[in-house]
Amino acid sequence: MSQDQITSLLQEDRLFYPPRDFQEQAHIRSLEQYRALYARSLEDPEGFWAEMASALHWFRRWDRVLQWDPPQAQWFLGGQTNLCYNCVDRHLQSWRRNKAALIWEGEPGEERVLTYQDLYREVSRFANVLRSLGVGKGDRVAIYMPLVPEAVVAMLACARIGAVHSVVFGGFSSEALRDRVNDAGARLIVTADGGWRRGRIVPLKDYVDEALRRGAPTVEHVVVLRRTHQEVSWEPGRDHWWDELMAAASASCPAEPLDSEHPLFILYTSGTTGKPKGVVHTTGGYMVYTATTARYVFDLREEDTYWCTADIGWITGHSYVVYGILANGATSLIYEGAPDWPDPGRFWSIVEKYRVSIFYTAPTAIRAFIRWGEAYPRRYDLSSLRLLGTVGEPINPEAWMWYYRVIGGGRCPIVDTWWQTETGGIMISPLPGATPLVPGSCTLPFFGIEADVVDREGRSLPPNTGGFLVIRRPWPGMMRTIYGDEARYRRQYWEEIPGLYFSGDGARRDERGYFWVMGRVDDVINTSGHRLGTMEIESALVSHAAVAEAAVVGRPDPVVGTAIVAFVVLRPGADPSPKLKEALREHVAQQIGPIARPQEIIFTDGLPKTRSGKIMRRLLRQLASGEERLGDMTTLESAEVIERLRAQMGSEEEE
Ligand code: PRX
């Protein structure tokens, strides 16, 4: 076996066909229809994407669909458009004017609905506010806010005047904020006095003050929304209240025609080296790609109430809370707070109350719901749901089954959508009216996406051989560069496997051609000469009745090369005994083979995660290897988990 291949041991053969009534009304109604359109999108990509782009408004039509000078793509060259115009103004010309664009629920329970007309007024006024503070085309604006309608308004207002936003997740520290503000050279920060999280105030304005004290020389103004109403410190001249500026601003601000390749936003994503990368997306291609994927993957219909639980601080929030959804004139629901506040039924109470029909969330949330128990969702009427989605990590087949059965009532297709901050939009996913589903697989590539699994030289691998997940040609939503670091863009994405876009993920395809993402290649474990994806071993553990969550890492071992160490969170009531450890090791051996049997199992009450819910295996790997100094922890959600684990492991060694 070549060094590049990853052994796959996971077997999954449950198959779920789209329900007949779903299929009959879907945009794409059969696998044949998908295949025909997919073939066309690859044979004539320019024709295909021109047709998709024509559904949107352009002030000036493009001269050229694609200019490809690898690895630099320019889409809809010569065209001029405005994404804010397409998300807002375009809908005012029809009855959609009075349709809900945003439905918002605050954590303390407030509700607000903004129609497209309302959104138009607020966005236009805030665009004028930005201009009045000297922000113009190409200037960078940092947005550091709770999930409130004004956060969406601020994003759209930037897009309206051609300012480049950089949304920084409101859960990040002042240090993380400062790094991002400085890297982007932001002139202005939009924030709030605070946001609500689990009944407590997150003092955002204090964090901004702290970031500016530590040094952010490019920032001239801070606009502060009143949300939590506690005292905040104030620097006259620099700080401004949102409501005061808005009261003085005109509601007329025509959307600026922008070149298709005008930068739309920078979004920072953590790199393996620790220094965050500013992923740059531009206007026309991103717009067409997010609008098209949203329409087909979520099968959007006029009457849907769509809820994506992601924060706008992540790419999922950019593409599928805001841009792709509003560009389709759909209703996007947003909720400010935590899923377990005041109790773990909160999400389901929201689904019931607003009759949510499409629900899109992350596997980490699903695993938390599993742990909290079926009783919570069972208390609510979830019959309005017709489609479910997941994103962010591979979903363990057992978690998929739970989601399908308990949340979807066995009635709703699940779209397991694989994509990245860098790809701008969904790349591999079922189309819910067309694609038969297999739990744990993100199935087939979207139109225009030539995805493949290859070895290090870029050669396609045969079915069921794990390798590198790559994309063979440009697509409209792809990132254009890393802000201020073009060399890193080229090196990391286009030179590892020469000429192809390398995602950094390991994957395999099965006989059907379905993709199975096995996680980041950095997480692959080489044990006794086999390269195993951690994902499959984790899924085997999670399929045991006592296990809620698991993270698997490698530890250098003189005998097997790398020993498999599993950190396991048990379900409530399970007894963390040596006997259970043995049973779990045996369970993995039975589920996927003796080669994958963990050498060690460590029970823990939590796993270290990034703030977007991804397990930080790097930290666990360092812990398991007994390293004293752990690397960068600024993206960690809570340092306590690591401290507890470190203490626990120290005492176990002494025993
Ligand atoms: O490893 C893949 C995993 O998340 C990575 C991208 O993370 P980020 O840029 O934060 O974007 C998350 C939201 C798009 C990928 O490289 N990932 C994302 N979706 C899936 C996934 N892994 C498996 N299955 C998915 N559906």
Side-chain angles (χ1 to χ4, degrees):
M1 189 180 71
S2 132
Q3 254 314 298
D4 294 340
Q5 295 176 2
I6 305 171
T7 308
S8 173
L9 303 160
L10 187 74
Q11 277 288 343
E12 177 61 62
D13 40 27
R14 288 170 285 200
L15 196 58
F16 296 83
Y17 288 92
R20 168 82 25 108
D21 53 336
F22 191 105
Q23 196 158 27
E24 278 167 2
Q25 298 187 49
H27 294 305
I28 305 291
R29 298 177 183 186
S30 67
L31 204 53
E32 295 68 46
Q33 200 187 346
Y34 157 77
R35 289 201 194 283
L37 205 50
Y38 180 69
R40 199 203 128 199
S41 73
L42 292 193
E43 278 154 24
D44 174 23
E46 303 205 7
F48 176 82
W49 288 116
E51 190 183 317
M52 297 299 125
S54 299
L56 294 150
H57 175 83
W58 295 79
F59 295 103
R60 184 181 186 280
R61 202 180 154 88
W62 54 89
D63 305 316
R64 236 186 127 173
V65 174
L66 170 66
Q67 166 91 31
W68 178 226
D69 308 303
Q72 231 104 46
Q74 298 184 78
W75 285 88
F76 308 108
L77 220 62
Q80 288 199 325
T81 185
N82 184 295
L83 184 43
C84 177
Y85 183 96
N86 274 289
C87 288
V88 184
D89 308 39
R90 197 163 60 88
H91 309 305
L92 304 185
Q93 295 145 20
S94 72
W95 64 271
R96 275 192 196 142
R97 185 156 67 89
N98 291 321
K99 175 175 175 175
L102 294 176
I103 298 176
W104 172 74
E105 185 163 298
E107 194 185 76
E110 315 94 311
E111 286 176 45
R112 267 170 74 194
V113 177
L114 272 81
T115 64
Y116 276 96
Q117 178 68 47
D118 295 332
L119 193 59
Y120 169 79
R121 188 184 59 241
E122 297 304 301
V123 168
S124 301
R125 285 164 72 198
F126 198 65
N128 280 325
V129 165
L130 290 174
R131 282 205 172 134
S132 73
L133 295 173
V135 174
K137 207 162 137 178
D139 288 338
R140 274 83 59 213
V141 171
I143 299 176
Y144 183 60
M145 294 186 88
L147 191 46
V148 292
E150 286 82 359
V152 178
V153 167
M155 292 168 75
L156 290 166
C158 288
R160 193 166 190 84
I161 61 172
V164 179
H165 60 66
S166 166
V167 182
V168 179
F169 174 51
F172 275 132
S173 64
S174 59
E175 192 183 332
L177 171 66
R178 192 204 53 172
D179 290 349
R180 287 160 176 74
V181 163
N182 285 340
D183 190 81
R187 294 185 67 176
L188 185 141
I189 302 179
V190 189
T191 189
D193 47 3
W196 290 105
R197 187 82 188 170
R198 293 206 172 84
R200 302 190 39 179
I201 291 175
V202 183
L204 295 172
K205 173 65 164 65
D206 291 356
Y207 295 155
V208 170
D209 291 341
E210 174 65 20
L212 295 180
R213 250 195 315 277
R214 287 158 177 256
T218 56
V219 176
E220 296 159 28
H221 295 286
V222 179
V223 179
V224 188
L225 177 79
R226 279 184 238 260
R227 165 84 190 106
T228 42
H229 300 277
Q230 82 282 19
E231 272 297 309
V232 292
S233 62
W234 204 254
E235 197 173 305
R238 185 196 72 186
D239 297 349
H240 314 268
W241 287 113
W242 170 291
D243 48 317
E244 291 174 6
L245 294 175
M246 286 292 266
S250 145
S252 160
C253 179
E256 174 116 14
L258 299 167
D259 288 341
S260 180
E261 284 297 334
H262 184 75
L264 176 69
F265 64 81
I266 304 171
L267 183 61
Y268 288 85
T269 177
S270 45
T272 38
T273 59
K275 184 179 181 298
K277 299 174 281 196
V279 171
V280 176
H281 284 285
T282 60
T283 303
Y286 175 84
M287 168 176 85
V288 171
Y289 197 68
T290 53
T292 309
T293 46
R295 176 176 150 86
Y296 289 110
V297 174
F298 299 117
D299 191 48
L300 287 174
R301 293 218 296 258
E302 207 59 80
E303 64 276 19
D304 277 317
T305 300
Y306 164 96
W307 181 21
C308 165
T309 66
D311 188 87
I312 50 151
W314 313 119
I315 190 69
T316 310
H318 284 58
S319 302
Y320 301 113
V321 171
V322 183
Y323 293 118
I325 303 304
L326 300 180
N328 278 286
T331 298
S332 186
L333 188 144
I334 54 180
Y335 163 60
E336 178 187 27
D340 54 348
W341 185 265
D343 69 43
R346 185 62 181 269
F347 273 18
W348 318 122
S349 85
I350 293 175
V351 169
E352 176 182 284
K353 182 163 154 198
Y354 302 97
R355 307 291 297 157
V356 171
S357 56
I358 304 174
F359 180 75
Y360 188 35
T361 197
T364 182
I366 297 167
R367 291 189 305 258
F369 295 133
I370 297 175
R371 203 162 72 221
W372 291 327
E374 269 181 57
Y376 288 102
R378 293 261 180 248
R379 254 177 235 161
Y380 298 91
D381 175 7
L382 307 182
S383 64
S384 56
L385 291 170
R386 67 180 192 93
L387 176 61
L388 303 175
T390 73
V391 58
E393 279 179 287
I395 180 164
N396 318 112
E398 288 321 309
W400 193 103
M401 288 303 303
W402 188 93
Y403 194 33
Y404 185 78
R405 182 173 58 82
V406 178
I407 306 305
R411 185 184 72 244
C412 308
I414 298 178
V415 287
D416 174 352
T417 62
W418 178 84
W419 59 295
Q420 309 178 293
T421 305
E422 294 87 339
T423 68
I426 294 167
M427 301 291 280
I428 307 181
S429 168
L431 298 184
T435 317
L437 308 171
V438 184
S441 168
C442 55
T443 74
L444 299 168
F446 190 71
F447 305 130
I449 302 303
E450 196 184 347
D452 200 358
V453 175
V454 301
D455 64 14
R456 198 164 280 286
E457 276 70 52
R459 289 177 298 233
S460 298
L461 292 170
N464 288 322
T465 311
F468 304 112
L469 178 54
V470 298
I471 311 296
R472 289 191 172 277
R473 59 165 87 186
W475 65 101
M478 66 189 264
M479 73 188 291
R480 299 301 193 259
T481 189
I482 293 176
Y483 191 71
D485 200 347
E486 172 72 15
R488 188 171 176 196
Y489 166 68
R490 290 170 176 264
R491 199 172 57 241
Q492 182 162 351
Y493 300 103
W494 296 94
E495 286 167 11
E496 289 259 330
I497 300 171
L500 307 180
Y501 171 83
F502 176 41
S503 63
D505 284 353
R508 69 179 165 94
R509 295 179 91 160
D510 64 16
E511 307 75 14
R512 268 192 199 89
Y514 280 18
F515 284 80
W516 294 79
V517 176
M518 300 157 86
R520 309 293 301 167
V521 288
D522 311 333
D523 291 334
V524 164
I525 297 176
N526 195 331
T527 187
S528 307
H530 292 268
R531 286 160 50 84
L532 303 178
T534 51
M535 152 73 190
E536 299 190 340
I537 308 171
E538 288 163 7
S539 284
L541 285 162
V542 172
S543 73
H544 189 280
V547 176
E549 262 196 303
V552 165
V553 299
R555 180 182 61 209
D557 184 281
V559 181
V560 290
T562 311
I564 299 171
V565 180
F567 292 83
V568 171
V569 181
L570 294 177
R571 290 210 202 188
D575 175 24
S577 61
K579 211 165 126 220
L580 181 56
K581 283 190 183 175
E582 204 34 57
L584 292 179
R585 296 179 65 231
E586 207 35 54
H587 180 72
V588 174
Q590 273 185 7
Q591 292 284 307
I592 56 179
I595 175 91
R597 186 199 315 263
Q599 270 75 13
E600 190 178 353
I601 302 243
I602 297 167
F603 291 128
T604 168
D605 55 2
L607 296 171
K609 291 186 185 163
T610 63
R611 286 162 198 269
S612 61
K614 288 198 206 320
I615 297 169
M616 289 184 80
R617 293 184 186 76
R618 172 174 57 82
L619 292 180
L620 292 174
R621 199 156 52 228
Q622 290 171 319
L623 265 185
S625 317
E627 285 176 34
E628 281 294 311
R629 290 170 57 88
L630 305 181
D632 177 39
M633 295 209 279
T634 52
T635 56
L636 190 63
E637 184 183 39
S638 150
E640 277 166 41
V641 176
I642 280 287
E643 288 316 319
R644 275 205 304 275
L645 262 173
R646 205 206 289 261
Q648 175 191 338
M649 289 174 69
S651 65
E652 275 175 19
E653 267 163 34
E654 281 156 24
E655 273 163 19

